[in-house]
Amino acid sequence: AQTVTQSQPEMSVQEAETVTLSCTYDTSENNYYLFWYKQPPSRQMILVIRQEAYKQQNATENRFSVNFQKAAKSFSLKISDSQLGDTAMYFCAFMSSNYKLTFGKGTLLTVNP
Amino acid sequence: GAVVSQHPSWVICKSGTSVKIECRSLDFQATTMFWYRQFPKQSLMLMATSNEGSKATYEQGVEKDKFLINHASLTLSTLTVTSAHPEDSSFYICSARLGPGELFFGEGSRLTVL
């Protein structure tokens, strides 16, 4: 079974600064997907970024980028130029070959003005 | 992007009644949908996989007789919480699979059982 670990229950950052959220996972599979989702107070799950395990290049989406280390089974999210609207719960998730998602416990990010 | 809609977004019911939650993929067909449960300040836990035209597969510890799932068409899956009790109060979220690595989430449904 897959496990996803987010070791930072809460983090805070000043507006316009950069913050990195950590995520590690454990799996015996070789082909899989990794995700970061944002869940604001509305509780709608919003996809932030997706990484395919067979791609060595780190995924980027505007201010969001990941540091994917397959051998270390690490998948951290970097948010640059943090904005107040980035305040939310962030979940790291692993998708196995049967398309099931396993989520980490989440990191509550607060962006301070 | 693809849209998944859940209904109702919020439902309050009396203990012992049954509640149905719908999950629709509005602009694509989804042979597979997933149902999750999220307690306050916790993560999402997968409850079951809903497969169009066949029986749902449930995760370990999820009571299939309590949480009935029907995936009667390629755009609709329903979750029925039968004989609901206060401990069933939770936030239920569905997702629909569009393709490899592509999952889209509904807005979620908040169930409160009195």
Side-chain angles (χ1 to χ4, degrees):
Chain A
Q2 283 68 229
T3 59
V4 177
T5 302
Q6 292 179 249
S7 59
Q8 306 151 316
E10 295 186 32
M11 289 197 73
S12 62
V13 64
Q14 291 298 121
E15 193 175 7
E17 294 188 346
T18 296
V19 64
T20 299
L21 307 184
S22 301
C23 174
T24 58
Y25 59 95
D26 191 22
T27 184
S28 58
E29 297 187 20
N30 193 45
N31 294 318
Y32 48 87
Y33 292 87
L34 293 163
F35 303 84
W36 278 98
Y37 285 96
K38 170 184 177 180
Q39 189 179 44
S42 68
R43 302 189 81 171
Q44 170 75 55
M45 294 293 285
I46 300 168
L47 176 64
V48 175
I49 202 162
R50 182 182 80 166
Q51 175 78 44
E52 297 168 72
Y54 65 87
K55 289 188 176 179
Q56 292 185 336
Q57 187 172 6
N58 289 324
T60 62
E61 284 289 343
N62 300 315
R63 299 182 295 109
F64 301 89
S65 62
V66 297
N67 182 3
F68 174 48
Q69 301 290 328
K70 189 173 183 180
K73 294 180 180 157
S74 172
F75 183 62
S76 61
L77 173 70
K78 185 171 81 172
I79 305 174
S80 304
D81 185 25
S82 297
Q83 300 176 0
L84 296 178
D86 295 333
T87 293
M89 182 71 82
Y90 286 81
F91 291 102
C92 177
F94 174 100
M95 178 183 280
S96 58
S97 55
N98 59 9
Y99 306 108
K100 293 183 180 182
L101 275 178
T102 301
F103 289 88
K105 292 188 175 182
T107 297
L108 179 61
L109 176 67
T110 302
V111 180
N112 298 309
Chain B
V3 179
V4 176
S5 178
Q6 267 184 256
H7 178 81
S9 58
W10 196 359
V11 56
I12 302 174
C13 70
K14 293 182 179 180
S15 184
T17 61
S18 295
V19 174
K20 181 184 286 187
I21 300 171
E22 294 185 345
C23 177
R24 293 181 184 272
S25 55
L26 297 186
D27 50 2
F28 67 99
Q29 294 182 329
T31 55
T32 306
M33 293 183 176
F34 300 90
W35 288 95
Y36 310 82
R37 185 173 183 177
Q38 185 180 30
F39 289 109
K41 298 187 178 181
Q42 293 190 22
S43 187
L44 283 74
M45 295 296 295
L46 179 64
M47 298 175 65
T49 303
S50 173
N51 301 297
E52 189 270 336
S54 64
K55 290 183 179 180
T57 54
Y58 291 80
E59 296 300 302
Q60 191 173 10
V62 177
E63 300 175 61
K64 60 182 67 177
D65 295 330
K66 158 71 78 175
F67 300 101
L68 299 180
I69 292 172
N70 184 26
H71 196 151
S73 78
L74 287 170
T75 58
L76 174 64
S77 175
T78 59
L79 168 68
T80 301
V81 184
T82 62
S83 186
H85 288 93
E87 57 266 29
D88 298 323
S89 298
S90 188
F91 192 67
Y92 294 89
I93 309 174
C94 72
S95 69
R97 185 173 77 88
L98 175 59
E102 291 190 294
L103 274 183
F104 295 90
F105 284 85
E107 311 95 322
S109 299
R110 184 186 306 273
L111 170 63
T112 301
V113 185
L114 302 176

